[in-house]
Amino acid sequence: MTSCGCLVLEKVEDHGGEAAARGRGRLAQGGGGGGCGSCAGEWRSRSETMFPIYVMGSSRASSAAAARGIVDAAGDPIWEAVKSEAKSEAEKEPILSSFLYASVLSHDCLERALSFVLANRLEDPTLLATQLIDIFNDVMMNNKDIRRSIRLDAQAFKDRDPACAQYSWALLYLKGYHSLQSYRIAHVLWNQGRKVLALALQSRISEVFAVDIHPAARIGEGILLDHGTGLVIGETAVVGNWVSLMQGVTLGGTGKENGDRHPKIGQGALLGAGATILGNINVGEGAMIAAGSLVLKDVPPHSMAVGNPAKVVGYKDKEDPSLTMKHDARRDYFEHVAISFSDDKANGSVVK
């Protein structure tokens, strides 16, 4: 059978005999870089072993526990895929060969490649790329949480953004991914007490990517910032795992109050383009905020809020909208759309 060159993920057993959610990447020899239909199903099923966080219907607790093993895996399938893609692209576009070598092929791991890419995007005349590379490498190479998050984020971009056909595209070209990983570095620096440097990075990230995330904000893993332009996330905001945020989303306060004053977004939520969520309120797990909505009060889990001010128009139980990326409000999209606003008002479960 002809090899196709697709990335294959293999399940490995730990020393105790229990299946561990870890993977080893290998590239099939020969064949083109475009992949094949026969491997598509194999890739999906095996990627679910490597990244169980994306498997629908699985226990979130078990998925999160399994995801923690990714950094400890014997191989690094995402990095192997990035290198393979970069080699293929360099052959197709020789004019980019120097760029691809400097950004990817000259490095020995995803962390160092990402440090190089981010440093060269964020440098300015007084903060040189060489200085930033040292800072970024130090943070990422010594922080297992970031090492896991940059991979889960890359998987999120590839899985949920149809415009991201390859892992290397997220690493090299997508400013949503760049701004998110730059924030992660600034967040570590902030927690280390290096707040001035973290704020300097925040300012530069805002200038370069048009994304303004306070370094004290807490953001989970497996995040998609689609496009990113105009995104604002305030200091005390919390964003759970597996959330997808479209361009122009604001997680802001309501005035000059101090303390905990920004929204808390539950895992698996989808925030549509231009959605504005203000104040110390909760958007429940698996909720969807429609594009252009203004949310001022709590949104129940697995519901859809629409409008200005936002109101709940239906509920859904089976899938997290952040993973399906369905933004529509069709009646057949919800299982319980017949619920009346009067009943919701009576039990206090709707956004008023």
Side-chain angles (χ1 to χ4, degrees):
M1 184 175 68
T2 304
S3 297
C4 64
C6 293
L7 179 68
V8 178
L9 297 175
E10 296 178 332
K11 184 176 179 181
V12 297
E13 305 293 323
D14 64 15
H15 294 298
E18 182 180 350
R22 299 189 292 180
R24 283 190 298 225
R26 62 179 174 85
L27 287 168
Q29 299 299 313
C36 68
S38 64
C39 282
E42 181 180 52
W43 158 253
R44 174 60 57 187
S45 63
R46 294 193 180 186
S47 69
E48 290 173 352
T49 300
M50 180 62 185
F51 302 106
I53 204 165
Y54 296 103
V55 182
M56 297 299 178
S58 62
S59 162
R60 280 178 172 158
S62 62
S63 294
R68 284 193 288 271
I70 288 176
V71 173
D72 298 322
D76 190 345
I78 288 183
W79 173 236
E80 292 301 322
V82 168
K83 289 191 295 182
S84 176
E85 293 161 5
K87 290 176 184 177
S88 176
E89 295 302 323
E91 293 174 359
K92 295 176 185 176
E93 290 288 355
I95 196 172
L96 293 177
S97 58
S98 295
F99 163 72
L100 292 167
Y101 178 80
S103 302
V104 176
L105 301 175
S106 65
H107 303 286
D108 60 2
C109 63
L110 180 60
E111 289 79 5
R112 296 189 189 279
L114 181 58
S115 292
F116 180 89
V117 171
L118 296 181
N120 280 278
R121 294 297 305 274
L122 295 172
E123 70 169 339
D124 66 17
T126 60
L127 198 54
L128 304 180
T130 51
Q131 296 172 308
L132 291 174
I133 287 173
D134 288 341
I135 294 168
F136 296 172
N137 277 336
D138 180 64
V139 169
M140 285 195 281
M141 298 304 293
N142 293 290
N143 189 299
K144 186 173 289 188
D145 290 337
I146 283 189
R147 292 166 58 201
R148 181 178 67 246
S149 293
I150 64 176
R151 289 164 173 81
L152 290 174
D153 294 343
Q155 188 71 38
F157 273 75
K158 186 172 182 295
D159 283 351
R160 302 179 216 161
D161 184 358
C164 183
Q166 300 182 358
Y167 295 106
S168 59
W169 290 11
L171 172 66
L172 297 172
Y173 310 120
L174 300 187
K175 72 174 186 176
Y177 185 78
H178 294 164
S179 57
L180 178 59
Q181 308 320 320
S182 301
Y183 147 78
R184 294 196 186 282
I185 294 169
H187 182 68
V188 171
L189 294 172
W190 179 272
N191 289 336
Q192 290 176 346
R194 305 176 71 180
K195 295 187 176 182
V196 173
L197 179 56
L199 290 171
L201 276 178
Q202 177 199 3
S203 176
R204 188 64 182 147
I205 293 164
S206 180
E207 289 178 41
V208 174
F209 302 127
V211 172
D212 194 352
I213 306 176
H214 195 283
R218 290 179 287 159
I219 300 179
E221 57 194 12
I223 303 296
L224 171 65
L225 301 187
D226 199 356
H227 302 291
T229 303
L231 179 78
V232 177
I233 299 180
E235 179 183 10
T236 61
V238 178
V239 177
N241 296 332
W242 324 316
V243 171
S244 294
L245 304 94
M246 303 301 291
Q247 68 272 16
V249 168
T250 296
L251 306 182
T254 57
K256 296 172 63 178
E257 70 272 19
N258 294 317
D260 195 356
R261 60 195 184 278
H262 294 103
K264 312 298 181 284
I265 310 300
Q267 58 190 7
L270 171 61
L271 309 185
T276 299
I277 306 170
L278 301 178
N280 185 14
I281 61 176
N282 294 307
V283 173
E285 293 185 10
M288 176 184 167
I289 309 301
S293 298
L294 172 62
V295 182
L296 301 174
K297 293 189 177 182
D298 290 353
V299 176
H302 304 289
S303 65
M304 180 176 182
V306 180
N308 184 354
K311 296 182 181 294
V312 170
V313 298
Y315 293 86
K316 58 185 297 296
D317 297 326
K318 288 186 177 180
E319 298 175 316
D320 284 336
S322 67
L323 304 184
T324 64
M325 295 298 289
K326 290 183 179 178
H327 294 262
D328 56 50
R330 295 174 307 191
R331 292 177 65 87
D332 61 358
Y333 182 55
F334 300 100
E335 292 189 343
H336 310 297
V337 75
I339 189 167
S340 69
F341 283 112
S342 58
D343 290 342
D344 286 342
K345 235 177 179 180
N347 62 31
S349 64
V350 306
V351 179
K352 300 177 182 177

